Amino acid sequence: MVTRLVLVLGDQLSPDVAALRAADKSADIVVMAEVMEEGSYVPHHPKKIALILSAMRHFAEDLRADGWQVLYSRLDDADNAGSIPGELLRRAEETGASEVLATRPGEWRLIEALDAMPVPVHMHEDDRFVCSHKEFDAWAEGRKELRMEYFYREMRRKTGLMMDGDKPAGGKWNYDHDNRKPAQADMLRSQPMQFTPDDITEEVLDLVGDRFGGNFGTLRPFRFAVTRGQARRALDHFAKELLAGFGDYQDAMLRDDRFLHHSVLSPYLNIGLLSPLEICERVEREWRAGNVPINAAEGYIRQVIGWREYMRGIYFREGPEYPRRNALNHQRGLPDLYWGGETGMECLKRAVEQTRDEAYAHHIQRLMVTGNFALLAGINPTVLHEWYLSVYADAFEWVEAPNTVGMSQFADGGIVGSKPYVSSGNYIDRMSDYCGACAYSVKAKTGEGACPFNLLYWHFLTRHRDRFARNPRMAQMYRTWDRMDADKRDTILAEAEGFLDRLGRGEAV
Ligand SMILES: Cc1cc2nc3c(=O)[nH]c(=O)nc-3n(C[C@H](O)[C@H](O)[C@H](O)COP(=O)(O)OP(=O)(O)OC[C@H]3O[C@@H](n4cnc5c(N)ncnc54)[C@H](O)[C@@H]3O)c2cc1C
Ligand code: SF4
């Protein structure tokens, strides 16, 4: 009988992942490998590397306990070949295996590497998602615009989540207009569940500290869940303690509350410790039991079966070059403040500090603080994409690239978003308590100490007038600009230029 290797990657840690389902426990050999190439193709946050390696080691133990034969390569094994294809070839030689079963990776780079292997690799579609590639393409085919909202409704119908027969529960598909409240500090608000590292995790933390200690990001304290059991407890805790406020405070930001009502489940979901449907079913149950309001449950489920699935569909539909798109031709390098360099801009400082400490920032911090600033300042989207891919524990290219390149930077020319997500300081002031502690004044539109977002916002709109002036969702902004006094407009643009020059010279801003 031919021996086959079964490849399980670090983000495929689900007992029912396609390659394992296709394999024969009594004859096939599972290969799992910690390799330098995956650990270093971007400078990943040490917490992200530790999460994946510890979860892999725990998963390998579970597989062995379940009767699988597992060949596990540690990063510091002397004969580690350093890459996934290299490790597969080494294991093939060692075992005499002549075929590999794999679940299709979530990144073109690895798909291409496996396709190029001299050993035949049978690639199974990763079906841990609600929507297959075929279904997404069928939905997208022939549409002029790929709007998430319509895709989401299809996913609601398909899963039956929050549906009463063929009608949306409560009568509306989307309760987003209830979800834009600023938050107040609340000492009683619960925090996401944290876990004490066990011996396996401690060993991984030492290894990661040794090998990746120089990367941006604080390794300890490390509090992530690393097993499915722990991730289930984190879900349970979120559903009971935090979900009820998720809708209302989804867009809010507070200096001293890094998580608010967010679930911090994406790291577990994206490596396979939890499945999207089990999370959503749990959330719906809380609503049906009357424990949480409909805007919280619907809002949460929309993120998971709507945005998350939609982003994956876009990534695979658009192909390997998608992360390098640059529709607005933005060429500025990434300012040092993204790596913790000094800045007086409180919102950016806080978002980056939290990113460094937690390998986490919530959606509005990513979109309307770090993303918004990058877009207004004209930062190269590919460089920015590499930053987001590096610094967040949940960052895998299939979900990170469409969020960064598409949603946040409009670098795909409007596939993901019908208009760019840009705002002046007003939005940040309304949704956060950052501005009160800032070196800049959000109320000042020009002059000494004017909030840089206020200046750059108009600079961005002026730079891209040809592209956006006819966009019906942006026409009002251009009318406001055109009605402004000409001298004031000149001052804003000159001050924005001055700010960008300082940024370009590497000065602290
Ligand atoms: C520039 C940028 C980069 C991003 N990069 C990533 C990334 O690398 N990985 C990632 O999982 N998400 C990414 N997101 C989406 C979103 O910010 C994160 O999913 C979310 O912050 C994760 O935290 P949470 O689990 O507390 O989310 P919650 O606020 O609790 O949301 C619940 C779940 O919904 C899903 N979700 C919410 N929004 C999105 C979205 N826009 N796209 C996909 N899934 C979504 C996530 O799985 C998340 O766990 C990015 C967003 C932006 C604007
Ligand atoms: S004033 Fe401007 S730069 Fe400062 S925190 Fe507010 S939005 Fe950010």
Side-chain angles (χ1 to χ4, degrees), residues 415-426:
I415 297 172
V416 168
S418 56
K419 78 174 197 40
Y421 281 93
V422 282
S423 80
S424 68
N426 266 347

PDB file of all heavy atoms in Angstrom, residues 415-426:
ATOM      1  N   ILE A 415     -13.301  47.532  -5.429  1.00  0.00           N
ATOM      2  CA  ILE A 415     -13.974  46.223  -5.446  1.00  0.00           C
ATOM      3  C   ILE A 415     -14.662  45.998  -4.095  1.00  0.00           C
ATOM      4  O   ILE A 415     -15.850  45.698  -4.035  1.00  0.00           O
ATOM      5  CB  ILE A 415     -12.966  45.087  -5.745  1.00  0.00           C
ATOM      6  CG1 ILE A 415     -12.368  45.281  -7.127  1.00  0.00           C
ATOM      7  CG2 ILE A 415     -13.646  43.718  -5.637  1.00  0.00           C
ATOM      8  CD1 ILE A 415     -11.224  44.346  -7.451  1.00  0.00           C
ATOM      9  N   VAL A 416     -13.912  46.177  -3.025  1.00  0.00           N
ATOM     10  CA  VAL A 416     -14.481  45.937  -1.694  1.00  0.00           C
ATOM     11  C   VAL A 416     -15.348  47.107  -1.224  1.00  0.00           C
ATOM     12  O   VAL A 416     -16.415  46.914  -0.657  1.00  0.00           O
ATOM     13  CB  VAL A 416     -13.356  45.646  -0.663  1.00  0.00           C
ATOM     14  CG1 VAL A 416     -13.883  45.673   0.758  1.00  0.00           C
ATOM     15  CG2 VAL A 416     -12.709  44.292  -0.948  1.00  0.00           C
ATOM     16  N   GLY A 417     -14.892  48.314  -1.448  1.00  0.00           N
ATOM     17  CA  GLY A 417     -15.643  49.472  -0.942  1.00  0.00           C
ATOM     18  C   GLY A 417     -16.114  50.367  -2.078  1.00  0.00           C
ATOM     19  O   GLY A 417     -15.395  50.546  -3.061  1.00  0.00           O
ATOM     20  N   SER A 418     -17.308  50.962  -1.921  1.00  0.00           N
ATOM     21  CA  SER A 418     -17.774  51.846  -2.991  1.00  0.00           C
ATOM     22  C   SER A 418     -17.197  53.251  -2.827  1.00  0.00           C
ATOM     23  O   SER A 418     -17.262  54.073  -3.720  1.00  0.00           O
ATOM     24  CB  SER A 418     -19.305  51.915  -2.992  1.00  0.00           C
ATOM     25  OG  SER A 418     -19.756  52.321  -1.720  1.00  0.00           O
ATOM     26  N   LYS A 419     -16.620  53.517  -1.642  1.00  0.00           N
ATOM     27  CA  LYS A 419     -15.897  54.778  -1.445  1.00  0.00           C
ATOM     28  C   LYS A 419     -14.810  54.554  -0.412  1.00  0.00           C
ATOM     29  O   LYS A 419     -14.901  53.597   0.378  1.00  0.00           O
ATOM     30  CB  LYS A 419     -16.861  55.881  -1.030  1.00  0.00           C
ATOM     31  CG  LYS A 419     -17.304  55.882   0.415  1.00  0.00           C
ATOM     32  CD  LYS A 419     -18.125  57.125   0.646  1.00  0.00           C
ATOM     33  CE  LYS A 419     -18.339  57.530   2.076  1.00  0.00           C
ATOM     34  NZ  LYS A 419     -17.308  57.428   3.032  1.00  0.00           N
ATOM     35  N   PRO A 420     -13.775  55.409  -0.429  1.00  0.00           N
ATOM     36  CA  PRO A 420     -12.706  55.188   0.555  1.00  0.00           C
ATOM     37  C   PRO A 420     -13.156  55.503   1.972  1.00  0.00           C
ATOM     38  O   PRO A 420     -13.959  56.412   2.179  1.00  0.00           O
ATOM     39  CB  PRO A 420     -11.609  56.167   0.117  1.00  0.00           C
ATOM     40  CG  PRO A 420     -12.259  57.140  -0.779  1.00  0.00           C
ATOM     41  CD  PRO A 420     -13.503  56.523  -1.329  1.00  0.00           C
ATOM     42  N   TYR A 421     -12.645  54.725   2.942  1.00  0.00           N
ATOM     43  CA  TYR A 421     -12.918  55.008   4.347  1.00  0.00           C
ATOM     44  C   TYR A 421     -11.942  56.081   4.815  1.00  0.00           C
ATOM     45  O   TYR A 421     -10.842  55.771   5.274  1.00  0.00           O
ATOM     46  CB  TYR A 421     -12.729  53.744   5.194  1.00  0.00           C
ATOM     47  CG  TYR A 421     -13.898  52.795   5.131  1.00  0.00           C
ATOM     48  CD1 TYR A 421     -13.934  51.758   4.211  1.00  0.00           C
ATOM     49  CD2 TYR A 421     -14.973  52.950   6.005  1.00  0.00           C
ATOM     50  CE1 TYR A 421     -15.014  50.889   4.150  1.00  0.00           C
ATOM     51  CE2 TYR A 421     -16.055  52.083   5.955  1.00  0.00           C
ATOM     52  CZ  TYR A 421     -16.061  51.057   5.028  1.00  0.00           C
ATOM     53  OH  TYR A 421     -17.131  50.200   4.990  1.00  0.00           O
ATOM     54  N   VAL A 422     -12.324  57.347   4.643  1.00  0.00           N
ATOM     55  CA  VAL A 422     -11.494  58.449   5.137  1.00  0.00           C
ATOM     56  C   VAL A 422     -12.349  59.317   6.054  1.00  0.00           C
ATOM     57  O   VAL A 422     -13.559  59.438   5.849  1.00  0.00           O
ATOM     58  CB  VAL A 422     -10.928  59.327   3.993  1.00  0.00           C
ATOM     59  CG1 VAL A 422      -9.744  58.673   3.317  1.00  0.00           C
ATOM     60  CG2 VAL A 422     -12.000  59.711   2.975  1.00  0.00           C
ATOM     61  N   SER A 423     -11.699  59.908   7.032  1.00  0.00           N
ATOM     62  CA  SER A 423     -12.428  60.865   7.870  1.00  0.00           C
ATOM     63  C   SER A 423     -11.448  61.878   8.427  1.00  0.00           C
ATOM     64  O   SER A 423     -10.241  61.622   8.498  1.00  0.00           O
ATOM     65  CB  SER A 423     -13.138  60.159   9.017  1.00  0.00           C
ATOM     66  OG  SER A 423     -12.207  59.894  10.046  1.00  0.00           O
ATOM     67  N   SER A 424     -11.986  63.015   8.823  1.00  0.00           N
ATOM     68  CA  SER A 424     -11.181  64.001   9.540  1.00  0.00           C
ATOM     69  C   SER A 424     -11.127  63.563  11.004  1.00  0.00           C
ATOM     70  O   SER A 424     -11.633  62.495  11.368  1.00  0.00           O
ATOM     71  CB  SER A 424     -11.833  65.378   9.408  1.00  0.00           C
ATOM     72  OG  SER A 424     -13.055  65.366  10.115  1.00  0.00           O
ATOM     73  N   GLY A 425     -10.545  64.432  11.848  1.00  0.00           N
ATOM     74  CA  GLY A 425     -10.454  64.087  13.277  1.00  0.00           C
ATOM     75  C   GLY A 425     -11.814  63.974  13.948  1.00  0.00           C
ATOM     76  O   GLY A 425     -11.942  63.302  14.974  1.00  0.00           O
ATOM     77  N   ASN A 426     -12.837  64.607  13.381  1.00  0.00           N
ATOM     78  CA  ASN A 426     -14.175  64.606  13.997  1.00  0.00           C
ATOM     79  C   ASN A 426     -14.679  63.215  14.315  1.00  0.00           C
ATOM     80  O   ASN A 426     -15.241  62.974  15.373  1.00  0.00           O
ATOM     81  CB  ASN A 426     -15.197  65.205  13.011  1.00  0.00           C
ATOM     82  CG  ASN A 426     -15.357  66.678  13.284  1.00  0.00           C
ATOM     83  OD1 ASN A 426     -14.905  67.148  14.317  1.00  0.00           O
ATOM     84  ND2 ASN A 426     -15.977  67.382  12.356  1.00  0.00           N
TER      85      ASN A 426
END
